[in-house]
Amino acid sequence: MPVVAGVVGGSAAAQAAPSRRPDAAVSGLTVEHRTDPLGMDAERPRFGWRMRSAVRGRSQGSYQILVASSPDRLTAGRADLWNSGRVRSADSVAVPYAGRALRASTRYHWTVTVWDAEGSPVGTAPTAFFETGLMSTDGVGGWEGAQWIGMKGKTPNSAGAPMLRKVAALKDRPKVGEARLYVSALGVYEAYVNGRHVTVEQDGDTTTELLPPGSTNYDARVNYMTYDVTGLVTREPDVTLAVVLGNGWYNGRISDGSTYYSEDGNALAVKAKLLIRYADGTSQTVVTGPDGGWKATDTGPYRADDIYDGQTYDARMELPGWTARGFDDAAWSDVERVAFDDKYPDAQLLAYPGETARFMRRWDRRPQSITVATGVTGQDGSPNGRGRIVVDPARTVTDPAKAASAPVTIGSGETAVFDLGQNMVGVARYRLRGPAGAKVEFRFGEMLNDDSAGADGPEGSLYRANLRSAKATSTYVLKGDRRGETHQDSLSFYGFRYVSVTATDTVTITDLTGKVATSAIREIGTVTTDDPDINQLASNIRWGQRGNYLWVPTDCPQRDERLGWTGDTQVFATTGLYNVDAGVFLSHFQDTVVDSQAIYGMDKAQFTGVAPTGRYNFPGGGSGWADAGVIVPWTVWQMTGDATIVKDNWPAMTRYLDWIQEQTGDTYAGQGSLTGDWLAPQKTSAQLMSDVYYGYSTRLMAQMARAIGSTAEGESYDRLFGRIKQAFVTKYLSTEGGTATVKSSLGDASPIEPGSDPNQKTEDNSQTALLWVLKLGFYETEAQRRMLVGHLADNIGNDEAYKAAHPNSSRVRYAENTLSVGFLGVNVLAPVLTDEGRADLAYKLLHQDALPSWLFSAKNGATTVWERWNSYSRDDGFGPVSMNSFNHYAYGAIMEWMYAYMAGIARDPDSPGFKRFVLQPHIDPTGGITQVSGSYESPYGEIRSEWAVGDGGRTLVYDAVVPANSEATLRLPATSADAVREGRTPLARVDGVRLLGHTDGVASYRIPSGRYRLTARLR
């Protein structure tokens, strides 16, 4: 093993730093879709790279990969692990390793040389590396005897977080070559080496993770992390390992209902191995074990922690120096083995494959205002009887520039409310001064109370009713340091925009910063327009993803839920993958979904509504949620071009489809749905939603079967889809009276939806039903199709004539040009409208700010996407408190359309991964948007699509970038094919461009890679 220079910190996940020499002709090297990964356990890792070329139409013709044990061996004659030879292929995504067997805990170096389609050399990439982890799954192999240990005699759920430490003498060697820390926990951990918090690299600096090793089904799999800690052990004669353990997702209310949940509590534990390699080739390990000199206590400052309730930290109980050498731990307890392996012998211990949740310094939020309240007044005259806070103007700061750093002093009975200006997820980092023993409580919330209905306190105070039973409070007890005290929680997290601070004594808060934590660390897509409202919506969607992509894709980050709801995940997945490099993140979540299928799914075949944990997992009708087990693999494959997720999950997916067939037989109906079109203003039969999702999953299975070479299975799923379609048409499509009607009133809507009107009935031709019928082609003639499009347009238009003709419809309560879909209609609404030639309606819905609409929340002050269309309004107050999150990304699925149709960067379903893709910008017929700029970092490089309308709507200027080794189908609005020009030359006559035709005002071309600046006449 060669000596490698150490970096303080390291990462079990990808580094977000740009590839070395990003301007190189071959760059962007990845292994397992990550850049220079540490702790990677794949036996046949997948390689990827990108071409760059200033020459149009240049594509890869062949490649040669070299893998070696050291950089100086990266030549064709000396590569000692793998020389692929020159392979004739255009593949540059997920190319599998085929060299010698990889060893555990070993760094390998690699490069790739590329030739173009004409055989000319393109270039050789700068050297990259990857490093294997322990290469085992049983928690034994590679761990060298490391065991799960916890504090001896510690009663689960008793006060005080376990703190463990060990000092080990280093060998008397001249130099440490490298050091790796492999660590996992039953619960969550903070790890320290020689007194320094273990960090990971981020944005050219280092940062800390939040709540590693994340959320999982503990009786199926536990993840471990790998850290490069070389820089932390090179200057000491011994090494001190220290760990704080928190309850996390393992031992709190959040795991209630799980197979590993214990009402009496589970013992927290850590398993770790420190591997040190010396310059002379020898090595040393330090592992966790009951007999290895480890000591533990729970008398430190970490007094309580819970995912929902927050953390209590008593600074008077700090133990200075406990993470470093020289600390006297003689009074500490011994440790003991925690018998997790005995209880769950089949649980696997696996390297975490994706992006860990970490703090992102560039997204720190500073206060925009600070309000100090001294009491409450006006209760008798207020609409809700709660009055309003009494504001002290002398201490209230409304200027954002001043509020960002203003100190604030409050006394007992007073409250300071900090507005960070953005709903976010993470913790607050605060600095304060005050007397020893003063208790300060930082309460987190997303909204402030007004005097409207549903407020839970006086106007101006923090609204917290929607948190339900979650206490979401950071409690800090001061030690009385006159120089000030600084703290941020590490064993919990919060969803918040506002922080309300109270104290038992006079204290001064000298600084408060919102620290954003996320697993969505590498953003790869943007869409901006000249409409500030639409830009705000895009920002809200992005912030919602940041907050809810935390270890697993969650529904919400603030209340007593914060779970991996699968329906939310599948609806948002395409948007999520446009915004963020999240393929590995969602693939890992799919592994968790399959674990949950085996643990909680009906007959160990149905995918579940939540993953991981057993909380809220409902047996029975799971359509739309359970189907995530099929939709997520399909989506990841389509967006990344890597079919590995399809191959790996094929048995689980076929088991699910077979199970539905067993349930419903030759009725070809879906399994049923308890959720239906969740939170839709217009109600659709839940069984109809189940039937369309059965058809949808079947259609995706047919496509995926062909992708993995299972042609016969693909044909079988095609036949099944045909039978589902026929059964659906027979049951739901009425042609009486010479018109086509979707009988979406056949059956009740969701029986479990909270806050819904029990008297509201399902309706025929509901928006969501029409959308899915059109999307799946569940009709028999083109005439029927045109009628259905007409019904959809009439429903959305919702004019007085429509209302008069449908007096009993829920639509009569809403404005013209409003949507009426819920969770299962929101991601298909604008795409289906546009595909059916009604982009005008899609844009009208996008611009609408009356209820229900995407901009309604933005108009009412939202900085993230809400769970309900009517979560809050200044006129009507707060929505139903039982289900009212102000950070819920599902409705943000409109951004998929913003990328694919508005900006026009769309997948070609026959060419997954954007090897061939579609540029199809749709101009806003309403004139509300006249400029759009979109970019997306595809597996082949950055795609750009930018348009601007000028000359009173007569001309279009269009800029595009098609990355090397890919090509695009361009569809541009124009009066004729010759009206699209590059400079003065009609595009059809440009070298390499092929005209495909001009139909319905759109000119279509096949264009090679390169940069384009085009103009077109629109009228």
Side-chain angles (χ1 to χ4, degrees), residues 602-603 657-665 667 669-671:
M602 286 188 69
D603 303 319
L657 268 294
D658 290 347
W659 175 82
I660 299 176
Q661 281 192 275
E662 291 168 5
Q663 303 301 305
T664 64
T667 67
Q671 64 193 279

Side-chain angles (χ1 to χ4, degrees), residues 61 259 394 440 472 532 673 767 825:
T259 45
V440 187
S673 177
Q767 277 187 26

